[in-house]
Amino acid sequence: MKYNERIREIREDNSLTQQKIADRLHIGQRTYADYESGKTRIPVDSLLILARFYNVSMDYITGASNIKTEYPKQ
């Protein structure tokens, strides 16, 4: 699964709107919609924010793994 498909799936699983996630990332809703559609690449720092927010590993959120593990504790 590609990262853009994964971030959409996770958002929908958590019953969140694109606007809510865009607000968390301090970007516009249209920009976030472009991330989910694959039109624009999401910055790595934004992926890190989402991984922490959803408490999933970077491997999972980027689609490198289909195993849903928690974000590493610091």
Side-chain angles (χ1 to χ4, degrees), residues 19-59:
Q19 186 63 57
K20 289 280 187 190
I21 300 305
D23 291 346
R24 177 159 290 276
L25 297 176
H26 305 290
I27 59 172
Q29 181 274 328
R30 182 73 241 159
T31 300
Y32 185 76
D34 288 346
Y35 294 163
E36 284 192 0
S37 70
K39 184 176 178 183
T40 304
R41 290 182 153 218
I42 187 170
V44 173
D45 58 333
S46 294
L47 281 173
L48 283 165
I49 291 168
L50 292 178
R52 284 187 198 113
F53 176 70
Y54 292 126
N55 192 31
V56 295
S57 70
M58 283 293 288
D59 283 346

